[in-house]
Amino acid sequence: MITVLIILIGIVVTAFLAYAIVNYIPRKWHWILSVGLVLISIFLVYQINFEITKPIKFNSEKRAKYAKVINNLKIIRDAEVAYKKVTGNYTTDGESLISFIDTAKFALTQTRYVPKTIALGGGITKEIEERVVDTIGFEDVKNSFAGKDYKNMMKIPDTDQNFKIEVGEVEKIVGLKAPVFEVKVDKSFILKGMDENLVKQEKEAIGGEEIRGEFIRVGSLTDVSEDGNWPPYYDKGDKKDTE
């Protein structure tokens, strides 16, 4: 819209000056007005180019900021998943998560099936295989976070604030509740200082290659999910690391 307005103003001003040169301005002053027209043209070209490249630059900076935030959210998610695996629940305490990674251990188990005879009554028996899970050792949780900056995972990048973890329960089956967690941050907080109109448009994104909605989020308080709401674009680095 701004670009169109600039073009229209430029056309009107140029037409007015051209008309004035032909009808009212003495010939000896034409060169001065010609220089003025050239300068106006240069200014208009600059403004139009600026308006065209502004969203491109915004998207580039936005994605760089989002990538940092999402990287920390992924580490928090992995920490919560590990915490739940060991304790059975999630936690709201970020410092406890960091301490957990440093000190906790995963139990290494082995499953085997043991033959067992059960009595059905009346002297009748039945042979079955009973599933037995044995603990064969332990592994440091910290090993799963090698190369990840989990010590600083609670910090919201490029700000002086920390992420807030929320936990709750969701009843997906009557009488059976599952623990859930959620960590989210407002896009406008991450994009503070950038073009307000573009930030407003960003918060209204509906998906596709963009992050849907007003927040960058991992987990959910309304559904049993440990996923983030970002598109696959932000997971490309993970795939390369795996390969």
Side-chain angles (χ1 to χ4, degrees):
M1 184 62 183
I2 296 178
T3 303
V4 174
L5 184 60
I6 291 174
I7 293 174
L8 291 176
I9 293 174
I11 292 173
V12 172
V13 171
T14 303
F16 173 78
L17 289 176
Y19 178 80
I21 289 173
V22 172
N23 295 280
Y24 300 104
I25 307 299
R27 185 175 295 275
K28 65 178 181 179
W29 300 113
H30 284 187
W31 71 272
I32 296 177
L33 292 175
S34 297
V35 171
L37 285 173
V38 171
L39 293 176
I40 291 174
S41 298
I42 293 174
F43 172 75
L44 290 174
V45 169
Y46 170 78
Q47 286 295 324
I48 292 170
N49 182 68
F50 175 75
E51 291 298 326
I52 292 174
T53 58
K54 184 166 64 174
I56 298 175
K57 182 180 179 182
F58 175 86
N59 285 331
S60 177
E61 293 180 0
K62 171 197 73 179
R63 287 190 169 186
K65 289 177 178 291
Y66 283 178
K68 293 180 182 179
V69 171
I70 290 171
N71 180 64
N72 279 17
L73 289 177
K74 290 177 182 178
I75 300 175
I76 295 173
R77 174 191 61 195
D78 294 345
E80 286 284 7
V81 170
Y83 189 90
K84 178 176 178 289
K85 184 176 180 180
V86 173
T87 68
N89 286 293
Y90 299 115
T91 179
T92 60
D93 191 336
E95 291 301 320
S96 291
L97 270 182
I98 295 172
S99 177
F100 168 80
I101 294 172
D102 283 330
T103 60
K105 297 179 182 292
F106 288 126
L108 301 178
T109 62
Q110 183 180 65
T111 301
R112 58 191 176 90
Y113 293 89
V114 179
K116 183 178 181 181
T117 301
I118 59 173
L120 300 178
I124 301 174
T125 61
K126 181 180 179 180
E127 295 293 328
I128 64 169
E129 288 189 335
E130 185 177 51
R131 183 171 177 268
V132 178
V133 179
D134 298 319
T135 299
I136 59 175
F138 294 90
E139 179 185 10
D140 291 336
V141 171
K142 191 174 183 178
N143 292 344
S144 301
F145 291 83
K148 298 180 181 180
D149 187 17
Y150 66 89
K151 295 285 189 181
N152 294 305
M153 66 182 178
M154 295 306 301
K155 297 183 182 297
I156 302 176
D158 301 324
T159 75
D160 59 354
Q161 301 295 314
N162 290 338
F163 290 107
K164 179 183 177 182
I165 304 173
E166 297 180 86
V167 301
E169 290 183 329
V170 171
E171 188 175 25
K172 299 298 291 185
I173 302 176
V174 178
L176 181 61
K177 293 184 177 181
V180 292
F181 80 96
E182 182 178 85
V183 187
K184 65 182 181 181
V185 59
D186 196 305
K187 288 180 177 178
S188 60
F189 184 69
I190 302 301
L191 305 177
K192 186 176 181 180
M194 299 179 70
D195 187 277
E196 291 184 2
N197 289 328
L198 293 176
V199 171
K200 183 179 179 181
Q201 293 177 26
E202 175 62 24
K203 295 185 70 171
E204 296 171 351
I206 58 175
E209 290 297 314
E210 303 299 332
I211 300 174
R212 184 177 68 250
E214 300 182 22
F215 301 92
I216 306 176
R217 171 188 55 76
V218 67
S220 173
L221 293 179
T222 59
D223 194 14
V224 181
S225 172
E226 297 164 347
D227 296 331
N229 67 333
W230 51 84
Y233 168 85
Y234 294 97
D235 293 322
K236 291 180 180 179
D238 296 343
K239 293 179 181 179
K240 290 181 181 179
D241 293 340
T242 301
E243 293 173 0

